[in-house]
Amino acid sequence: MRNILLDQLPDFHRMTRDESNLYEAARMFLDSYEESSERLLRQILAPSCISEIEVLASSLLFVILLNQGRTVDLYRMGFPHNSEEDEFLSMCNKYKSTSHLSPIPHKSPLVENLVGIPVMSIMINNNPIELVFDTGSPYTILSSDTANYCNVQIKSDTTEIINVTGAIMKLNIGKISELIIGNCLFSNIPSLIIPETTVDYSDNFGFKLSGVIGWDVIKQLYWEIDYRNKNILMRKSKASDLEKNMCWDLTPMVKLILNNKVTCLGLDTGANRTKFNKQMSKFVKDIIPRMDSFSGIGQPIPQETAGYNGQKLDILLGNKLITISNAFIYLDKCVSPTMNFTLPGIIGSDIFADAKLILDYPNRYLAID
């Protein structure tokens, strides 16, 4: 499905009712109106016949229900329909995870590692550990050494993920009995256990990754990541009437204005730079071909990739204008792994340098202060 906010909307008069309902449901989803989107998608799926439109509607509905933790509804509707849905649903339903969220704000130091990615201190099974705050990872991930140090139960179950190179990694699943962040307790959290060799960045960046706090935990809380003053505040989210600007399609997505066009970008605080896909090259002036390198979980050794440098990109998020100089545009690599939409790129931690990221996903809200 194309990102309909990037393109001129189609002529609804020439569409079938299901086609127009699908586009409207997609628009509502991107505008954070999930209940309205779900109602339209269920209307499309009401008949028993299977069409291309119904396949697309089913995929979008899967994402909505999965992110809301409604696994019973998904099974009742006959999901999963493919291996990708099966992997996500299996992880979501692996253990009876619970959380006790405190409304009392807790502030702790923010540790930035050597490449500008936020790291914070937490407790796993009463063991202190530092993990990357990574909105781009659907799950919490631990290195094998960290899992052993924290007495995490490593199960015989496995799952598959695709790393930054596009390679499939088969990983064990661990069970974190207790994960404590500030005043909040998370119990029976599933975690992917990744081999130590795939998170050792010592030769190239001077550090070894212990793991990441993933979206499964991050999405439940209100966060203020203060890059400027090097601290993190977190608490239970409160009801808010601020304008919604977030949704989730395997990665969190933020509605904003990019070079005077309304669109959505992925949000990946585990990436040290904002990055764009090939489609952005036609919207950017003065692009210069060049080579760049990338690395990430499962790929600690930087790999070269071809692309362009965009001389200037303006992002307007709320009332905050951010100008990105020398943004890298990839030619042969997708940097926004979504299931239903084609995004132009992702926001990395670089745009929050010397600023504060306010992330309140229960209210579908993100801002820069």
Side-chain angles (χ1 to χ4, degrees), residues 170 172 185 248 279 287:
K170 194 170 185 177
N172 284 105
L185 169 65
W248 183 86
Q279 68 196 81
I287 57 175

Coordinates of all heavy atoms in Angstrom, one line a residue, residues 170 172 185 248 279 287:
K170 N 18.0 -16.3 13.0 CA 17.2 -17.2 13.8 C 17.6 -17.1 15.3 O 18.8 -17.4 15.6 CB 17.2 -18.6 13.3 CG 16.2 -19.6 13.9 CD 16.2 -20.9 13.2 CE 15.0 -21.8 13.7 NZ 15.0 -23.1 13.0
N172 N 17.0 -17.3 19.7 CA 16.3 -17.9 20.8 C 15.5 -16.8 21.5 O 15.7 -15.6 21.4 CB 17.3 -18.4 21.8 CG 17.9 -19.8 21.4 OD1 19.0 -19.9 21.0 ND2 17.1 -20.8 21.5
L185 N 7.3 -1.6 36.9 CA 7.7 -3.0 36.9 C 7.0 -3.7 35.8 O 5.8 -3.7 35.6 CB 7.3 -3.7 38.2 CG 7.4 -5.2 38.3 CD1 8.8 -5.6 38.2 CD2 6.8 -5.7 39.6
W248 N 1.5 3.1 14.5 CA 2.5 2.1 14.5 C 2.2 1.0 13.4 O 1.1 0.5 13.4 CB 2.6 1.4 15.8 CG 3.7 0.4 16.0 CD1 5.0 0.6 16.4 CD2 3.5 -1.1 15.8 NE1 5.6 -0.6 16.4 CE2 4.8 -1.6 16.1 CE3 2.5 -1.9 15.5 CZ2 5.0 -3.0 16.0 CZ3 2.7 -3.3 15.4 CH2 3.9 -3.8 15.7
Q279 N 13.2 7.1 -2.9 CA 12.1 7.9 -3.5 C 12.3 9.4 -3.1 O 11.8 10.3 -3.8 CB 10.8 7.4 -2.9 CG 10.6 7.6 -1.4 CD 9.5 6.8 -0.9 OE1 9.6 5.6 -0.6 NE2 8.3 7.5 -0.7
I287 N 21.6 17.1 -5.0 CA 22.0 15.8 -4.4 C 23.3 15.4 -5.0 O 23.6 15.6 -6.2 CB 21.0 14.7 -4.6 CG1 20.6 14.5 -6.1 CG2 19.7 15.0 -3.8 CD1 19.7 13.3 -6.4

